[in-house]
Amino acid sequence: MTALDLSSPVAVVGTGTMGQGIAQVALVAGHPVRLYDAVPGRAQEAADAIGARLDRLVEKDRLAAADRDAARARLRPAADLADLADCSLVVEAVLERLDVKQQLLRELEDVVEDDCLLATNTSSLSVTAIGGALRTPGRFVGLHFFNPAPLLPLVEVVSGFATDVTSATRAYETARAWGKTPVACADTPGFIVNRIARPFYAEAFAVYEAQAADPATIDAILRESGGFRMGAFELTDLIGQDVNESVTHSVWQAFFQDVRFTPSLAQRRLVESGRHGRKTGQGWYDYGDAAERPEPHTAEKAQAPAYVVVEGDLGPASELLALIREAGIQIREDEEDHGTRLVLPSGGQLVLADGQTSVEFRDVVYFDLALDYRRATRIALSASQDTAPATVAEATGLFQALGKDVSVIGDVPGMIVARTVARIVDLAHDAVAKGVATEEDIDTAMRLGVNYPLGPFEWCRRLGRIWAHDLLEELSLREPSGRYAPSLALYRHGHAADKREGTS
Protein backbone atom coordinates (compact mmCIF):
# COMPACT_ATOMS: atom_id res chain seq x y z
CA MET A 1 0.00 0.00 0.00
CA THR A 2 1.50 3.31 -1.10
CA ALA A 3 1.09 6.87 0.10
CA LEU A 4 -1.80 9.01 -1.03
CA ASP A 5 -1.32 10.56 -4.45
CA LEU A 6 -0.46 14.26 -4.26
CA SER A 7 -3.52 15.08 -6.31
CA SER A 8 -5.71 13.65 -3.52
CA PRO A 9 -7.31 16.36 -1.36
CA VAL A 10 -6.60 16.23 2.37
CA ALA A 11 -8.87 17.80 4.97
CA VAL A 12 -8.18 18.94 8.50
CA VAL A 13 -11.10 19.45 10.88
CA GLY A 14 -10.30 21.72 13.80
CA THR A 15 -8.13 24.76 13.15
CA GLY A 16 -6.27 25.28 16.39
CA THR A 17 -2.48 25.18 16.59
CA MET A 18 -2.22 21.48 15.80
CA GLY A 19 -4.83 21.56 13.05
CA GLN A 20 -3.10 24.44 11.32
CA GLY A 21 0.27 22.71 11.66
CA ILE A 22 -0.97 19.45 10.13
CA ALA A 23 -2.66 21.33 7.31
CA GLN A 24 0.57 23.19 6.58
CA VAL A 25 2.53 19.93 6.43
CA ALA A 26 0.10 18.38 3.93
CA LEU A 27 -0.04 21.62 1.92
CA VAL A 28 3.73 22.02 1.59
CA ALA A 29 3.98 18.34 0.63
CA GLY A 30 1.81 19.16 -2.41
CA HIS A 31 -1.77 18.20 -1.56
CA PRO A 32 -4.89 20.28 -2.05
CA VAL A 33 -6.01 21.01 1.50
CA ARG A 34 -9.46 21.79 2.94
CA LEU A 35 -9.85 23.45 6.33
CA TYR A 36 -13.03 23.12 8.36
CA ASP A 37 -14.01 24.43 11.77
CA ALA A 38 -17.43 24.38 13.43
CA VAL A 39 -17.00 28.02 14.50
CA PRO A 40 -17.88 30.31 11.59
CA GLY A 41 -14.92 32.28 10.25
CA ARG A 42 -12.27 30.17 11.99
CA ALA A 43 -11.33 28.22 8.88
CA GLN A 44 -10.64 31.43 6.95
CA GLU A 45 -8.60 32.81 9.87
CA ALA A 46 -6.58 29.59 9.91
CA ALA A 47 -5.98 29.77 6.16
CA ASP A 48 -4.74 33.35 6.55
CA ALA A 49 -2.43 32.31 9.41
CA ILE A 50 -0.98 29.45 7.35
CA GLY A 51 -0.45 31.84 4.44
CA ALA A 52 1.43 34.22 6.74
CA ARG A 53 3.69 31.39 7.90
CA LEU A 54 4.40 30.46 4.30
CA ASP A 55 5.39 34.08 3.68
CA ARG A 56 7.87 33.87 6.57
CA LEU A 57 9.35 30.68 5.09
CA VAL A 58 9.93 32.56 1.84
CA GLU A 59 11.56 35.43 3.72
CA LYS A 60 13.93 32.94 5.39
CA ASP A 61 14.74 31.26 2.03
CA ARG A 62 13.16 28.00 3.22
CA LEU A 63 10.48 28.01 0.55
CA ALA A 64 10.49 29.33 -3.01
CA ALA A 65 8.01 32.12 -3.74
CA ALA A 66 6.52 30.07 -6.62
CA ASP A 67 5.96 27.11 -4.29
CA ARG A 68 4.29 29.40 -1.76
CA ASP A 69 1.95 30.77 -4.39
CA ALA A 70 1.07 27.26 -5.56
CA ALA A 71 0.43 26.16 -1.98
CA ARG A 72 -1.84 29.13 -1.32
CA ALA A 73 -3.83 28.21 -4.42
CA ARG A 74 -4.32 24.66 -3.08
CA LEU A 75 -5.59 25.80 0.32
CA ARG A 76 -9.33 26.28 0.71
CA PRO A 77 -11.49 26.95 3.77
CA ALA A 78 -14.63 24.80 3.86
CA ALA A 79 -17.97 26.24 4.93
CA ASP A 80 -19.55 22.86 5.54
CA LEU A 81 -18.50 19.26 6.12
CA ALA A 82 -20.10 18.43 2.78
CA ASP A 83 -17.22 20.35 1.16
CA LEU A 84 -14.91 17.52 2.23
CA ALA A 85 -16.73 14.86 0.19
CA ASP A 86 -13.90 14.41 -2.35
CA CYS A 87 -11.10 14.12 0.24
CA SER A 88 -8.97 10.97 0.46
CA LEU A 89 -7.82 11.71 4.01
CA VAL A 90 -9.54 13.64 6.80
CA VAL A 91 -7.59 14.33 10.01
CA GLU A 92 -9.54 15.56 13.02
CA ALA A 93 -7.81 17.82 15.54
CA VAL A 94 -10.79 18.97 17.60
CA LEU A 95 -11.40 19.12 21.34
CA GLU A 96 -9.94 16.19 23.33
CA ARG A 97 -13.32 14.77 24.27
CA LEU A 98 -14.41 11.32 23.21
CA ASP A 99 -18.05 12.27 22.59
CA VAL A 100 -17.08 15.28 20.45
CA LYS A 101 -14.71 13.25 18.28
CA GLN A 102 -17.14 10.36 17.88
CA GLN A 103 -19.97 12.67 16.81
CA LEU A 104 -17.72 14.38 14.27
CA LEU A 105 -16.62 11.06 12.78
CA ARG A 106 -20.20 9.82 12.47
CA GLU A 107 -21.00 12.98 10.49
CA LEU A 108 -17.89 12.60 8.34
CA GLU A 109 -18.75 9.01 7.53
CA ASP A 110 -22.00 10.20 5.96
CA VAL A 111 -20.08 12.65 3.75
CA VAL A 112 -16.86 11.06 2.48
CA GLU A 113 -16.38 8.11 0.15
CA ASP A 114 -15.92 4.59 1.49
CA ASP A 115 -12.22 4.56 0.63
CA CYS A 116 -11.46 7.83 2.46
CA LEU A 117 -8.95 7.39 5.25
CA LEU A 118 -10.10 8.90 8.55
CA ALA A 119 -7.58 9.86 11.23
CA THR A 120 -7.32 11.44 14.66
CA ASN A 121 -4.49 13.49 16.10
CA THR A 122 -5.46 12.61 19.67
CA SER A 123 -2.63 12.39 22.19
CA SER A 124 -4.60 11.10 25.17
CA LEU A 125 -7.73 9.24 24.04
CA SER A 126 -8.05 5.67 22.82
CA VAL A 127 -7.98 5.40 19.03
CA THR A 128 -10.05 2.23 19.39
CA ALA A 129 -12.71 4.02 21.43
CA ILE A 130 -12.91 6.97 19.02
CA GLY A 131 -13.18 4.63 16.04
CA GLY A 132 -15.83 2.59 17.80
CA ALA A 133 -18.42 5.12 16.65
CA LEU A 134 -17.77 4.32 12.97
CA ARG A 135 -19.66 1.86 10.80
CA THR A 136 -16.34 0.95 9.17
CA PRO A 137 -13.66 1.43 11.84
CA GLY A 138 -11.10 -0.42 9.73
CA ARG A 139 -10.31 2.80 7.86
CA PHE A 140 -9.68 4.78 11.04
CA VAL A 141 -6.14 5.37 12.38
CA GLY A 142 -4.26 7.61 14.76
CA LEU A 143 -1.85 10.17 13.28
CA HIS A 144 -0.27 11.78 16.30
CA PHE A 145 1.84 14.74 15.23
CA PHE A 146 4.00 16.61 17.73
CA ASN A 147 3.79 20.35 18.24
CA PRO A 148 4.85 22.32 16.23
CA ALA A 149 3.85 19.90 13.48
CA PRO A 150 5.70 21.65 10.63
CA LEU A 151 9.00 21.44 12.54
CA LEU A 152 9.00 18.23 14.57
CA PRO A 153 9.65 15.14 12.44
CA LEU A 154 7.94 12.42 14.49
CA VAL A 155 4.47 11.03 13.75
CA GLU A 156 3.06 8.14 15.77
CA VAL A 157 0.88 6.03 13.48
CA VAL A 158 -1.50 4.30 15.86
CA SER A 159 -3.54 1.23 14.96
CA GLY A 160 -6.75 0.81 16.91
CA PHE A 161 -8.12 -2.63 17.67
CA ALA A 162 -10.23 -2.56 14.48
CA THR A 163 -7.81 -0.67 12.19
CA ASP A 164 -7.07 -2.51 8.94
CA VAL A 165 -3.41 -3.14 8.13
CA THR A 166 -3.90 -1.48 4.74
CA SER A 167 -5.19 1.70 6.40
CA ALA A 168 -2.30 1.85 8.87
CA THR A 169 0.21 1.22 6.09
CA ARG A 170 -1.27 3.93 3.87
CA ALA A 171 -1.20 6.41 6.76
CA TYR A 172 2.40 5.45 7.56
CA GLU A 173 3.57 5.85 3.96
CA THR A 174 1.71 9.13 3.58
CA ALA A 175 3.37 10.58 6.68
CA ARG A 176 6.74 9.50 5.30
CA ALA A 177 5.96 11.06 1.92
CA TRP A 178 5.24 14.30 3.76
CA GLY A 179 8.84 14.31 5.00
CA LYS A 180 8.02 13.02 8.47
CA THR A 181 9.52 10.10 10.40
CA PRO A 182 6.62 7.77 11.19
CA VAL A 183 6.68 5.06 13.83
CA ALA A 184 4.04 2.35 14.07
CA CYS A 185 2.43 1.52 17.38
CA ALA A 186 -0.57 -0.24 18.84
CA ASP A 187 -3.33 1.63 20.63
CA THR A 188 -2.00 1.78 24.17
CA PRO A 189 -2.35 4.57 26.76
CA GLY A 190 0.13 7.29 25.86
CA PHE A 191 1.12 5.48 22.64
CA ILE A 192 4.95 5.33 22.60
CA VAL A 193 6.28 8.70 23.73
CA ASN A 194 3.78 9.66 26.40
CA ARG A 195 3.87 6.16 27.86
CA ILE A 196 7.63 5.71 28.06
CA ALA A 197 8.44 9.33 28.97
CA ARG A 198 6.50 9.31 32.26
CA PRO A 199 9.53 8.39 34.45
CA PHE A 200 11.51 11.37 33.18
CA TYR A 201 9.07 13.63 35.02
CA ALA A 202 8.01 11.25 37.78
CA GLU A 203 11.48 10.44 39.09
CA ALA A 204 12.58 14.08 39.17
CA PHE A 205 9.44 14.95 41.11
CA ALA A 206 9.98 11.99 43.45
CA VAL A 207 13.53 13.13 44.29
CA TYR A 208 12.16 16.62 44.95
CA GLU A 209 9.35 15.27 47.15
CA ALA A 210 11.96 13.31 49.13
CA GLN A 211 13.70 16.66 49.74
CA ALA A 212 16.90 15.26 48.26
CA ALA A 213 17.44 18.18 45.86
CA ASP A 214 15.77 21.34 44.59
CA PRO A 215 14.38 21.76 41.05
CA ALA A 216 17.32 23.78 39.73
CA THR A 217 19.82 21.16 40.91
CA ILE A 218 17.81 18.22 39.56
CA ASP A 219 17.40 19.94 36.19
CA ALA A 220 21.12 20.71 36.01
CA ILE A 221 22.03 17.08 36.75
CA LEU A 222 19.63 15.77 34.09
CA ARG A 223 21.12 18.17 31.52
CA GLU A 224 24.79 18.24 32.42
CA SER A 225 25.22 14.62 33.49
CA GLY A 226 22.33 12.80 31.83
CA GLY A 227 22.66 14.59 28.51
CA PHE A 228 18.96 15.50 28.31
CA ARG A 229 18.24 18.74 26.50
CA MET A 230 16.08 20.09 29.34
CA GLY A 231 15.45 19.08 32.93
CA ALA A 232 12.05 17.81 34.05
CA PHE A 233 11.05 20.96 35.92
CA GLU A 234 11.92 23.44 33.18
CA LEU A 235 10.40 21.19 30.52
CA THR A 236 7.07 20.82 32.31
CA ASP A 237 7.02 24.59 32.85
CA LEU A 238 7.40 24.94 29.07
CA ILE A 239 4.76 22.31 28.27
CA GLY A 240 2.38 23.65 30.91
CA GLN A 241 1.99 21.99 34.30
CA ASP A 242 -1.74 21.53 33.71
CA VAL A 243 -1.13 19.85 30.34
CA ASN A 244 1.68 17.60 31.58
CA GLU A 245 -0.20 16.58 34.71
CA SER A 246 -3.32 15.87 32.67
CA VAL A 247 -1.43 13.50 30.37
CA THR A 248 0.15 11.75 33.37
CA HIS A 249 -3.24 11.38 35.03
CA SER A 250 -4.81 10.11 31.80
CA VAL A 251 -2.13 7.43 31.33
CA TRP A 252 -2.39 6.41 35.01
CA GLN A 253 -6.17 6.07 34.80
CA ALA A 254 -6.02 4.24 31.47
CA PHE A 255 -3.66 1.68 33.03
CA PHE A 256 -6.17 1.15 35.87
CA GLN A 257 -4.11 3.28 38.26
CA ASP A 258 -0.95 1.25 37.76
CA VAL A 259 1.51 2.41 40.44
CA ARG A 260 4.26 2.78 37.82
CA PHE A 261 2.40 5.79 36.41
CA THR A 262 1.23 7.41 39.66
CA PRO A 263 1.01 11.21 39.30
CA SER A 264 3.02 13.56 41.51
CA LEU A 265 1.31 15.18 44.48
CA ALA A 266 3.76 18.10 44.29
CA GLN A 267 2.78 18.74 40.68
CA ARG A 268 -0.93 18.44 41.59
CA ARG A 269 -0.50 21.19 44.19
CA LEU A 270 1.30 23.35 41.64
CA VAL A 271 -1.59 22.97 39.19
CA GLU A 272 -4.17 23.62 41.90
CA SER A 273 -2.40 26.85 42.79
CA GLY A 274 -2.67 28.08 39.18
CA ARG A 275 1.09 27.97 38.65
CA HIS A 276 1.05 26.36 35.23
CA GLY A 277 4.50 27.39 34.07
CA ARG A 278 5.70 29.96 31.55
CA LYS A 279 2.22 30.74 30.26
CA THR A 280 1.10 31.95 33.70
CA GLY A 281 4.44 33.48 34.69
CA GLN A 282 5.02 31.02 37.52
CA GLY A 283 5.56 27.28 37.70
CA TRP A 284 8.43 25.48 39.32
CA TYR A 285 10.32 28.63 38.39
CA ASP A 286 9.36 32.31 38.43
CA TYR A 287 9.15 33.90 34.96
CA GLY A 288 8.43 37.45 36.07
CA ASP A 289 10.38 40.28 34.48
CA ALA A 290 12.51 40.80 37.59
CA ALA A 291 12.87 37.11 38.46
CA GLU A 292 16.32 35.54 38.69
CA ARG A 293 16.75 31.90 37.70
CA PRO A 294 17.86 29.89 40.76
CA GLU A 295 21.30 28.33 40.52
CA PRO A 296 21.88 24.61 41.09
CA HIS A 297 23.63 23.56 44.26
CA THR A 298 27.35 23.33 43.49
CA ALA A 299 29.87 22.14 46.05
CA GLU A 300 32.72 24.36 47.20
CA LYS A 301 36.21 23.62 45.96
CA ALA A 302 37.77 20.58 47.64
CA GLN A 303 41.21 18.99 47.59
CA ALA A 304 41.62 16.14 45.11
CA PRO A 305 42.94 12.84 46.53
CA ALA A 306 46.50 11.90 45.64
CA TYR A 307 45.39 8.43 44.58
CA VAL A 308 42.41 6.09 44.36
CA VAL A 309 42.26 2.32 44.58
CA VAL A 310 40.10 0.70 41.91
CA GLU A 311 38.26 -2.53 42.61
CA GLY A 312 36.54 -4.11 39.62
CA ASP A 313 35.98 -2.36 36.28
CA LEU A 314 33.36 0.23 37.36
CA GLY A 315 30.93 -1.08 34.73
CA PRO A 316 29.17 1.80 32.91
CA ALA A 317 31.54 4.26 34.62
CA SER A 318 34.75 2.56 33.48
CA GLU A 319 35.75 5.54 31.31
CA LEU A 320 36.35 7.46 34.54
CA LEU A 321 39.63 5.60 34.97
CA ALA A 322 41.14 7.25 31.89
CA LEU A 323 39.97 10.66 33.10
CA ILE A 324 41.48 10.11 36.52
CA ARG A 325 44.85 9.18 34.99
CA GLU A 326 44.75 12.21 32.70
CA ALA A 327 44.15 14.42 35.75
CA GLY A 328 47.41 13.16 37.24
CA ILE A 329 45.79 11.17 40.04
CA GLN A 330 47.44 7.84 40.70
CA ILE A 331 45.34 4.70 40.25
CA ARG A 332 46.18 1.68 42.32
CA GLU A 333 44.53 -1.63 41.52
CA ASP A 334 43.33 -4.11 44.11
CA GLU A 335 43.85 -7.60 42.76
CA GLU A 336 41.16 -9.03 45.05
CA ASP A 337 37.64 -8.71 43.69
CA HIS A 338 35.62 -6.78 46.24
CA GLY A 339 33.10 -5.37 43.74
CA THR A 340 33.13 -2.36 41.43
CA ARG A 341 34.15 0.77 43.31
CA LEU A 342 36.86 3.29 44.03
CA VAL A 343 38.44 3.40 47.46
CA LEU A 344 39.62 6.84 48.60
CA PRO A 345 42.70 7.53 50.76
CA SER A 346 40.48 8.07 53.82
CA GLY A 347 39.13 4.54 53.41
CA GLY A 348 35.76 5.72 52.17
CA GLN A 349 34.28 4.21 49.03
CA LEU A 350 32.94 5.80 45.85
CA VAL A 351 30.30 3.67 44.12
CA LEU A 352 28.16 4.12 41.00
CA ALA A 353 24.46 4.45 41.83
CA ASP A 354 23.03 0.94 42.12
CA GLY A 355 19.65 1.38 43.81
CA GLN A 356 21.06 1.12 47.34
CA THR A 357 21.62 3.94 49.84
CA SER A 358 24.67 5.30 51.61
CA VAL A 359 23.12 4.90 55.05
CA GLU A 360 23.30 1.11 54.68
CA PHE A 361 27.09 1.08 54.51
CA ARG A 362 30.06 2.43 56.34
CA ASP A 363 31.45 5.49 54.61
CA VAL A 364 30.06 5.15 51.07
CA VAL A 365 29.45 8.00 48.65
CA TYR A 366 27.40 7.23 45.55
CA PHE A 367 27.89 9.00 42.23
CA ASP A 368 25.25 9.25 39.51
CA LEU A 369 25.16 7.84 36.01
CA ALA A 370 26.35 10.06 33.17
CA LEU A 371 25.64 9.78 29.47
CA ASP A 372 29.31 10.45 28.78
CA TYR A 373 31.65 10.98 31.74
CA ARG A 374 34.19 12.77 29.58
CA ARG A 375 31.72 15.33 28.26
CA ALA A 376 29.60 15.65 31.39
CA THR A 377 30.05 19.01 33.10
CA ARG A 378 28.33 18.09 36.37
CA ILE A 379 28.31 14.99 38.55
CA ALA A 380 25.90 14.29 41.40
CA LEU A 381 27.06 12.67 44.64
CA SER A 382 24.87 11.34 47.43
CA ALA A 383 25.80 10.59 51.01
CA SER A 384 23.99 9.97 54.27
CA GLN A 385 24.32 12.03 57.45
CA ASP A 386 26.63 9.31 58.79
CA THR A 387 29.08 9.50 55.91
CA ALA A 388 32.42 10.93 57.00
CA PRO A 389 32.88 14.54 55.81
CA ALA A 390 36.40 13.63 54.70
CA THR A 391 34.98 10.99 52.32
CA VAL A 392 32.52 13.46 50.80
CA ALA A 393 35.31 16.03 50.44
CA GLU A 394 37.66 13.57 48.72
CA ALA A 395 34.90 12.39 46.35
CA THR A 396 34.04 16.00 45.56
CA GLY A 397 37.68 16.93 44.97
CA LEU A 398 38.18 13.91 42.71
CA PHE A 399 35.42 14.91 40.30
CA GLN A 400 36.39 18.58 40.45
CA ALA A 401 39.88 17.55 39.41
CA LEU A 402 38.26 15.97 36.35
CA GLY A 403 36.76 19.37 35.46
CA LYS A 404 33.25 18.70 36.76
CA ASP A 405 30.93 20.75 38.88
CA VAL A 406 29.68 18.65 41.78
CA SER A 407 26.20 18.64 43.30
CA VAL A 408 25.75 16.75 46.57
CA ILE A 409 22.17 15.54 46.96
CA GLY A 410 20.31 13.58 49.61
CA ASP A 411 20.62 9.85 50.15
CA VAL A 412 18.03 8.61 47.65
CA PRO A 413 18.33 5.15 46.08
CA GLY A 414 19.20 5.27 42.40
CA MET A 415 19.97 8.99 42.61
CA ILE A 416 18.59 10.99 39.63
CA VAL A 417 19.89 10.03 36.18
CA ALA A 418 20.36 6.35 37.04
CA ARG A 419 16.85 5.71 38.35
CA THR A 420 15.30 7.75 35.52
CA VAL A 421 17.15 5.86 32.78
CA ALA A 422 16.51 2.48 34.43
CA ARG A 423 12.77 3.11 34.55
CA ILE A 424 12.66 4.34 30.95
CA VAL A 425 14.54 1.22 29.85
CA ASP A 426 12.13 -0.98 31.80
CA LEU A 427 8.98 0.59 30.34
CA ALA A 428 10.46 0.29 26.85
CA HIS A 429 11.09 -3.44 27.26
CA ASP A 430 7.61 -3.90 28.66
CA ALA A 431 6.12 -2.06 25.67
CA VAL A 432 7.93 -4.28 23.16
CA ALA A 433 6.88 -7.43 25.02
CA LYS A 434 3.25 -6.30 24.84
CA GLY A 435 3.36 -5.57 21.13
CA VAL A 436 3.16 -1.80 21.37
CA ALA A 437 6.05 -1.12 18.99
CA THR A 438 9.44 -2.41 17.87
CA GLU A 439 12.71 -1.60 19.62
CA GLU A 440 13.81 0.48 16.64
CA ASP A 441 10.60 2.52 16.55
CA ILE A 442 10.71 3.13 20.29
CA ASP A 443 14.28 4.40 20.11
CA THR A 444 13.35 6.63 17.17
CA ALA A 445 10.24 7.96 18.92
CA MET A 446 12.08 8.87 22.13
CA ARG A 447 14.93 10.58 20.33
CA LEU A 448 12.74 12.57 17.95
CA GLY A 449 9.61 13.02 20.05
CA VAL A 450 11.22 14.24 23.27
CA ASN A 451 14.85 14.78 22.21
CA TYR A 452 16.36 12.11 24.45
CA PRO A 453 20.11 11.77 23.90
CA LEU A 454 19.69 8.01 23.39
CA GLY A 455 16.76 5.71 22.85
CA PRO A 456 16.00 3.25 25.70
CA PHE A 457 17.48 0.29 23.87
CA GLU A 458 20.57 2.29 22.92
CA TRP A 459 20.97 3.09 26.63
CA CYS A 460 20.52 -0.59 27.46
CA ARG A 461 23.21 -1.72 25.02
CA ARG A 462 25.58 0.86 26.43
CA LEU A 463 24.90 0.06 30.10
CA GLY A 464 24.68 -3.71 29.85
CA ARG A 465 21.72 -6.08 29.73
CA ILE A 466 21.24 -6.52 33.47
CA TRP A 467 22.14 -3.02 34.68
CA ALA A 468 18.61 -1.58 34.69
CA HIS A 469 17.06 -4.74 36.12
CA ASP A 470 19.54 -4.96 38.99
CA LEU A 471 19.21 -1.28 39.90
CA LEU A 472 15.41 -1.43 39.89
CA GLU A 473 15.40 -4.63 41.93
CA GLU A 474 17.50 -2.97 44.62
CA LEU A 475 15.41 0.20 44.47
CA SER A 476 12.21 -1.83 44.76
CA LEU A 477 13.47 -3.44 47.97
CA ARG A 478 13.86 0.02 49.50
CA GLU A 479 10.61 1.46 48.13
CA PRO A 480 8.32 -1.60 48.04
CA SER A 481 5.23 0.01 46.53
CA GLY A 482 5.65 -1.91 43.27
CA ARG A 483 6.53 1.26 41.39
CA TYR A 484 10.13 0.14 40.85
CA ALA A 485 9.62 -3.59 40.43
CA PRO A 486 11.36 -4.56 37.17
CA SER A 487 9.03 -5.92 34.52
CA LEU A 488 8.99 -9.56 33.48
CA ALA A 489 10.19 -8.42 30.05
CA LEU A 490 13.32 -6.83 31.55
CA TYR A 491 13.92 -9.89 33.70
CA ARG A 492 13.70 -12.18 30.68
CA HIS A 493 15.99 -9.89 28.69
CA GLY A 494 18.77 -10.15 31.27
CA HIS A 495 18.40 -13.88 31.92
CA ALA A 496 18.28 -14.71 28.21
CA ALA A 497 21.64 -13.00 27.91
CA ASP A 498 22.99 -15.02 30.83
CA LYS A 499 22.09 -18.28 29.10
CA ARG A 500 23.66 -17.22 25.81
CA GLU A 501 26.84 -16.30 27.64
CA GLY A 502 26.89 -19.63 29.48
CA THR A 503 26.35 -18.25 32.99
CA SER A 504 23.82 -19.28 35.58
Side-chain angles (χ1 to χ4, degrees), residues 150-185:
L151 296 180
L152 295 186
L154 185 70
V155 178
E156 293 177 317
V157 181
V158 186
S159 293
F161 187 78
T163 302
D164 292 336
V165 173
T166 53
S167 299
T169 303
R170 171 157 284 184
Y172 183 98
E173 293 299 333
T174 297
R176 185 158 63 176
W178 290 357
K180 297 300 181 182
T181 303
V183 292
C185 66

Side-chain angles (χ1 to χ4, degrees), residues 87 105 129 145 218 267 296 331-332 343:
C87 291
L105 288 166
F145 289 77
I218 296 170
Q267 188 181 37
I331 293 179
R332 302 175 183 177
V343 180

Side-chain angles (χ1 to χ4, degrees), residues 267-305:
Q267 188 181 37
R268 176 92 290 263
R269 294 291 178 258
L270 201 67
V271 172
E272 289 173 339
S273 71
R275 299 183 175 190
H276 295 171
R278 291 191 181 188
K279 62 187 177 183
T280 62
Q282 179 77 52
W284 295 110
Y285 300 108
D286 185 351
Y287 297 93
D289 293 337
E292 293 185 8
R293 182 68 177 264
E295 293 294 324
H297 167 74
T298 302
E300 297 292 332
K301 185 69 177 176
Q303 181 68 40

Side-chain angles (χ1 to χ4, degrees), residues 22 89 91 117 119-122 127 141-145 155-158 171-172 175 178:
I22 296 168
L89 167 64
V91 183
L117 190 63
T120 175
N121 185 58
T122 187
V127 171
V141 66
L143 277 177
H144 181 215
F145 289 77
V155 178
E156 293 177 317
V157 181
V158 186
Y172 183 98
W178 290 357

Side-chain angles (χ1 to χ4, degrees), residues 48 80 101 158 233 280 290 292-293 377 426 429 448 466 485:
D48 293 342
D80 191 272
K101 292 179 183 291
V158 186
F233 296 90
T280 62
E292 293 185 8
R293 182 68 177 264
T377 57
D426 183 53
H429 278 85
L448 297 184
I466 63 172

Side-chain angles (χ1 to χ4, degrees), residues 352-374:
L352 176 63
D354 59 7
Q356 302 183 80
T357 56
S358 293
V359 74
E360 301 169 53
F361 305 98
R362 179 183 173 276
D363 231 9
V364 165
V365 171
Y366 278 103
F367 66 96
D368 208 351
L369 181 69
L371 171 68
D372 182 331
Y373 283 99
R374 183 173 291 278

